[in-house]
């Protein structure tokens, strides 16, 4: 049985209870709580006790394939304890599954928030690393241009030094030749 079938049976029970004026020995269903509440109307979404929304479908609008629309709704439907236990078991199972899905959704949300925070932190680290690399490249470029300037100056200076040494050697040789005569 799926949740629609369970809700259809429960809605039919609520209608029969209301028409016959008798109460079954079970706690009131969500539909009867909503029906008795002055703040809600038929077909309106309401919050269940666990914080989940549940849409209340009036019996006349229920399109479940198991309910015969032509059947007499004034007939009283009486369920034995086994059927009620079966319905309660399926409701409990559905509520447990819903609670588990809510827990899993909460975990998914928390992990996605953690992942988002991790991505933001990684983005900040990458931005700072990119800035450091840009600064390093700029300083390396400045150091390279300065080194090229020093190299070109040293090349000019070394050429000038070699010419000066050659000239001094010539002058020395001339002085030695002049003195030896």
């Amino acid at each position: 049985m799926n949740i629609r079938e369970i809700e259809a049976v429960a809605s039919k029970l609520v209608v029969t209870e209301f028409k016959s004026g008798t109460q079954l020995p079970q706690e009131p269903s969500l539909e009867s709580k909503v029906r008795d509440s002055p703040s809600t109307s038929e077909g309106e979404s309401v919050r269940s006790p666990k914080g989940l929304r549940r849409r209340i479908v009036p019996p006349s609008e229920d399109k479940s394939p198991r309910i015969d629309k032509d059947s007499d709704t004034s007939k009283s439907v009486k369920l034995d304890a086994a059927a009620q236990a079966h319905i309660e078991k399926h409701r409990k199972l559905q509520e447990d599954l819903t609670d588990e899905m809510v827990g899993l959704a909460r975990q998914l949300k928390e992990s996605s928030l953690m992942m988002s925070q991790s991505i933001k932190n990684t983005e900040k680290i990458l931005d700072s690393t990119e800035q450091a690399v840009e600064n390093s490249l700029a300083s390396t470029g400045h150091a390279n241009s300065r080194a090229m300037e020093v190299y070109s100056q040293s090349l000019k200076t070394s050429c000038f030094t070699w010419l000066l040494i050659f000239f001094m050697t010539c002058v020395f040789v001339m002085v030695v030749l002049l003195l030896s005569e």
Side-chain angles (χ1 to χ4, degrees), residues 116-145:
S116 174
Q117 186 65 34
S118 173
I119 288 172
K120 286 179 183 177
N121 291 342
T122 304
E123 185 178 331
K124 287 178 184 178
I125 291 170
L126 286 175
D127 287 343
S128 65
T129 304
E130 182 183 4
Q131 186 67 31
V133 166
E134 286 176 2
N135 291 341
S136 176
L137 285 174
S139 63
T140 303
H142 180 68
N144 281 344
S145 64

Side-chain angles (χ1 to χ4, degrees), residues 24-81:
L24 292 177
Q26 65 180 16
E27 52 178 79
S29 66
L30 181 62
E31 290 82 5
S32 63
K33 288 179 186 176
V34 170
R35 185 187 66 224
D36 296 337
S37 172
S39 63
T40 59
S41 63
E42 286 186 357
E44 182 179 337
S45 290
V46 295
R47 295 261 179 209
S48 73
K50 298 188 188 272
L52 299 175
R53 292 189 322 181
R54 185 179 282 175
R55 183 181 169 117
I56 305 303
V57 179
S60 62
E61 295 178 12
D62 191 12
K63 294 183 171 104
S64 176
R66 294 214 170 204
I67 294 179
D68 187 13
K69 300 262 181 190
D70 298 329
S71 69
D72 187 12
T73 57
S74 64
K75 290 182 184 177
S76 176
V77 175
K78 294 186 181 184
L79 299 176
D80 59 351

Side-chain angles (χ1 to χ4, degrees), residues 99-111:
D99 292 343
E100 186 176 347
M101 286 175 57
V102 167
L104 290 173
R106 186 177 295 121
Q107 288 177 354
L108 180 63
K109 181 180 178 182
E110 289 172 358
S111 58

